[in-house]
Amino acid sequence: MSNTRLSCGQTYPIPNPQAAMLWALTSQLESSQWLAPDVIADRQRLQLHALLNHAVHHSDYVRECLAQAGASPQTVAMPSGLQRLPVLTRHAVQSAGSRMFASGVPRSHLPLSENRTSGSSGIPVAIRRTAMSQLFWHAFILREHRWFKRDFSLPLAIIRADHPGAKPSLRNSWGVPVSLLASSGPSATLPIATDVSEQGHWLQQINPGYLLTYPTNLAALVEELQRRSIRLPRLRQVRTISETVSPHVRAQVRSTLGVEIVDTYSSQELGIIAIQCPVGGLYHTMAENLIVEVLHDDGSACQVGETGRVVVTDLSNLATPLLRYELGDYAEVGSKCACGRGLPTLKHINGRRRNMLVFPDGRRHWPMFTFVAQRLINAMHDQPLRTGDGIVIALTATMGWAKVRPGEELSGVITRADHALMYGKTHGRDQYVMATD
C-alpha cells in the first residue's frame, strides 16, 4: 500500500501512546483475521468470560440477568452458553436507564464517553463507551482502509448527519484514526441537511478521491449528478454507512460515477459490526470484538442462506455490557468467504431505511428530525435553568412522533404521536419515540 502504509511517519518507538496502542491492535487484527473459525470462537468465549466476570461485580443489571437465567460467567462462556441469556431489546435498554451502566471500569479503559443513538428505529438509547471500545472502532476503520488499499493522499469528502457545524468544513487530513498513523490529503465535510443540488455543486468543487455518505442520500445525489452531467474524475470509491444499500443504488453508482460502493455495517451502540470483503463481497463480522448472531423469530440460529434478526454481544465495552443486543435489523447468514479469512460472514443486511424529504419547491433533504430532536435534548441537558436565587432546575425534553399513513386523518396521526409521547414520559423522559402501533 504505497500511499496507505500505516507507518506513523515516525521513528520507533512510537511516541504517541494512543497511536502506539492503535498500531499494536491493528497489527494483531492483521493476524487474527486468518485464524480458523473455531479458534476465533474459542477466543470469543474467553473474552466473554472476562467481560462477565467484570460485569457481575459492577452491573446490577447483568447480575439480575444471570440470576434469572440460572447462569454464571462460566456457563455462559461455554459453547452455546450465550443462548441461555434473553435477547436484549432497545425498549429494555431504555427501561433500564442508568442501571445498564457499570459502576466502574479498569483505569486502562478510561475515559468514558456517552453515545445517544439517532432514534431512526423510533427508540433512541444512551450507551456509555470506553476508550477500549473506541480503540477497536478506530482499528476496524483502519482494517477497512487496508483491505481496500485506499490512497490517503487523495481528498476525502464526507456528507453525514453528525457534522457539528452548519457550514462545510475543510481539514488538512483525513482525521483520526488515519492521522494517528499516516499522513494524508485533506478531508471536506458537508452537513447532511444540505440540499442535494448544493451537495452536487460542492462535490464538483472538492473533486474527491473518496466519498462517504448514506445510501438514501447517495441515491438522490447520484440522480442530481447525472441530471447535471457532473463528473468526479478523481473518484475511486464510494463508502456507505448506516443504512441498507440496494442493488439498484450500487448499479446507479457504477453506471453514473464509474466506481463501486463499499458498505460498512455499523451502529452507534456497537461501532463497526461488519465490513464488506474486497474479494468475495460478503460482510465479515468483526469477531475479535463482537459476537454476531442471526436468529429466527423463535430464537433459534439461522443457517447459511437464511435471514433473521441481528443480535450482537459487545466483548470490549465494560461500561455498558450489551449482551445479545437486538439492533432491529435483519440479515442473511453468509457462507465461507473466498478470501480465506476465518471471520464469520453476512451475505446481505436488511437494515434501516430512510426516505428523503421532498419540499413543495422540489428541494430534497435527508430526514433530520431525529437528529434535531437529539440536539435539543442534549442542549437542555447541558444547560439547566438557573433562577435568580441560585436554584438549578434540570430540564428534560420528551417528544413523540408518528408517520402519516395513506388516507389517515390528522386527528389519528396526532393521537398516535401523543401515545408515543406518553410512552416516552413514562419510560425515562429525555427521548423521542416513534409511534409503532
Side-chain angles (χ1 to χ4, degrees):
M1 297 180 293
S2 58
N3 288 313
T4 55
R5 201 167 48 242
L6 301 177
S7 61
C8 308
Q10 301 168 342
T11 57
Y12 291 91
I14 301 171
N16 184 325
Q18 184 184 6
M21 291 182 64
L22 181 58
W23 174 256
L25 180 55
T26 302
S27 300
Q28 291 180 35
L29 295 177
E30 281 296 297
S31 299
S32 61
Q33 63 184 333
W34 302 108
L35 295 174
D38 58 338
V39 176
I40 292 176
D42 287 341
R43 294 191 178 189
Q44 285 179 323
R45 288 192 290 271
L46 287 173
Q47 184 58 36
L48 177 61
H49 187 237
L51 172 77
L52 291 172
N53 271 338
H54 177 272
V56 294
H57 292 97
H58 296 278
S59 171
D60 293 336
Y61 185 87
V62 172
R63 277 196 299 272
E64 293 172 9
C65 183
L66 291 176
Q68 292 173 4
S72 66
Q74 291 77 13
T75 57
V76 173
M78 294 174 63
S80 302
L82 186 59
Q83 286 69 41
R84 299 182 62 171
L85 301 182
V87 169
L88 177 64
T89 65
R90 290 177 183 267
H91 278 302
V93 174
Q94 273 192 338
S95 298
S98 61
R99 293 179 61 252
M100 287 296 304
F101 304 146
S103 60
V105 300
R107 181 172 297 180
S108 60
H109 287 236
L110 295 173
L112 302 182
S113 60
E114 185 165 310
N115 283 17
R116 291 181 179 270
T117 66
S118 67
S120 59
S121 65
I123 312 171
V125 297
I127 301 293
R128 286 180 183 168
R129 293 178 59 83
T130 66
M132 186 62 66
S133 303
Q134 194 69 17
L135 180 65
F136 269 102
W137 197 330
H138 288 164
F140 291 141
I141 291 174
L142 294 180
R143 165 180 272 179
E144 185 199 11
H145 288 326
R146 297 183 77 160
W147 281 7
F148 288 93
K149 298 180 172 61
R150 294 194 177 115
D151 186 346
F152 292 155
S153 69
L154 294 175
L156 168 65
I158 303 168
I159 306 175
R160 62 184 305 172
D162 57 0
H163 178 48
K167 297 180 179 179
S169 68
L170 181 66
R171 295 190 296 182
N172 60 6
S173 76
W174 283 24
V176 176
V178 171
S179 61
L180 292 174
L181 297 178
S183 58
S184 71
S187 64
T189 306
L190 187 71
I192 192 69
T194 307
D195 178 66
V196 173
S197 63
E198 294 180 32
Q199 291 183 31
H201 178 69
W202 177 81
L203 275 179
Q204 189 175 29
Q205 291 181 315
I206 300 298
N207 189 17
Y210 301 93
L211 168 63
L212 172 68
T213 191
Y214 306 102
T216 303
N217 186 70
L218 177 62
L221 179 57
V222 171
E223 289 179 2
E224 180 68 16
L225 296 177
Q226 187 175 34
R227 185 183 67 82
R228 295 169 56 187
S229 298
I230 293 177
R231 295 291 178 261
L232 304 174
R234 283 197 297 199
L235 191 66
R236 293 191 180 182
Q237 197 175 76
V238 174
R239 300 164 56 197
T240 54
I241 56 173
S242 187
E243 302 170 352
T244 300
V245 183
S246 69
H248 172 72
V249 173
R250 289 186 184 275
Q252 193 179 25
V253 168
R254 191 180 302 116
S255 172
T256 303
L257 301 178
V259 299
E260 297 293 332
I261 290 177
V262 173
D263 187 41
T264 298
Y265 181 32
S266 63
S267 77
Q268 290 177 289
E269 307 97 299
L270 298 160
I272 294 180
I273 301 170
I275 299 173
Q276 195 175 353
C277 180
V279 177
L282 299 173
Y283 291 79
H284 285 290
T285 63
M286 301 297 96
E288 296 94 342
N289 186 51
L290 304 170
I291 297 176
V292 179
E293 303 175 74
V294 182
L295 306 177
H296 293 295
D297 288 340
D298 63 3
S300 61
C302 292
Q303 303 303 311
V304 174
E306 295 181 332
T307 298
R309 300 174 293 150
V310 178
V311 172
V312 184
T313 297
D314 191 327
L315 297 174
S316 68
N317 188 2
L318 301 184
T320 310
L322 294 176
L323 306 172
R324 308 197 79 200
Y325 178 59
E326 184 172 5
L327 284 164
D329 299 334
Y330 281 77
E332 179 183 337
V333 178
S335 57
K336 182 175 176 59
C337 186
C339 70
R341 293 179 175 87
L343 300 172
T345 68
L346 303 173
K347 183 177 181 180
H348 184 72
I349 297 157
N350 304 306
R352 297 168 291 276
R353 286 187 173 91
R354 295 178 174 91
N355 295 316
M356 295 293 285
L357 295 178
V358 181
F359 290 85
D361 62 3
R363 289 178 297 120
R364 289 178 293 173
H365 286 261
W366 199 79
M368 282 290 293
F369 34 84
T370 57
F371 293 91
V372 171
Q374 188 60 63
R375 289 181 67 182
L376 175 61
I377 290 172
N378 293 344
M380 295 182 70
H381 182 268
D382 295 338
Q383 300 178 17
L385 180 65
R386 301 178 186 275
T387 64
D389 52 1
I391 298 175
V392 178
I393 302 175
L395 303 176
T396 66
T398 304
M399 288 155 271
W401 55 285
K403 295 180 180 179
V404 181
R405 297 167 175 168
E408 185 176 19
E409 296 290 336
L410 178 60
S411 60
V413 182
I414 294 175
T415 298
R416 291 191 298 112
D418 190 52
H419 288 165
L421 172 64
M422 294 308 299
Y423 179 91
K425 286 184 175 181
T426 56
H427 287 77
R429 298 180 180 271
D430 270 340
Q431 57 188 309
Y432 42 97
V433 181
M434 181 180 71
T436 55
D437 58 333

